[in-house]
Amino acid sequence: MYLSQLRAKFSGYTSDNFNTYFGPNAVIYFLAGSGLTPAFGYDKEAGKRTKEIVGQYLEAYFQGFGVQRVKLPKEFNADGIADLSKIELVNPEACEVNGRIFVKASGVKEIK
């Protein structure tokens, strides 16, 4: 196991990780094509996902990094955000698991 894998395994979601991976001034575009998709809970004991919806995902294009799913609260509504508009994540956090980067935020604001 490499030191970076140890650090990532125990670091969890942090804003520092987001800034490390994407930078503090990340350019992000909203992709409305697939719409918001549900994020289901996970039962660690059973090793399966549950039917409980704990949040939702939106797809966003991170300039220079490609398309990334962003986990948002289940109350989030993207109706006022136009497709391919520039957005800013509210309180973005990221974590790395097995070389994959996962992103979550408490909301999204359209940049005009």
Side-chain angles (χ1 to χ4, degrees):
M1 181 177 283
Y2 295 102
L3 182 59
S4 64
Q5 290 174 320
L6 270 174
R7 186 182 71 238
K9 184 176 179 180
F10 298 106
S11 66
Y13 281 99
T14 67
S15 58
D16 287 339
N17 284 345
F18 183 86
N19 290 331
T20 299
Y21 300 133
F22 302 106
N25 299 319
V27 178
I28 308 167
Y29 295 93
F30 176 66
L31 302 176
S34 62
L36 297 174
T37 56
F40 294 98
Y42 187 78
D43 184 358
K44 290 181 183 179
E45 291 177 10
K48 297 191 242 179
R49 80 172 195 182
T50 64
K51 293 184 179 186
E52 177 189 10
I53 296 175
V54 296
Q56 51 190 337
Y57 291 107
L58 73 77
E59 288 193 350
Y61 175 75
F62 285 70
Q63 189 171 350
F65 300 98
V67 176
Q68 178 75 38
R69 289 189 343 159
V70 179
K71 186 175 181 181
L72 295 163
K74 62 182 174 181
E75 302 85 27
F76 177 75
N77 187 348
D79 288 343
I81 304 174
D83 190 24
L84 298 176
S85 60
K86 201 176 205 183
I87 59 171
E88 176 183 342
L89 300 178
V90 178
N91 301 322
E93 297 179 329
C95 76
E96 181 182 350
V97 178
N98 296 329
R100 293 186 61 198
I101 299 172
F102 295 90
V103 178
K104 73 177 184 177
S106 60
V108 172
K109 292 190 289 189
E110 185 174 6
I111 299 174
K112 300 199 182 208

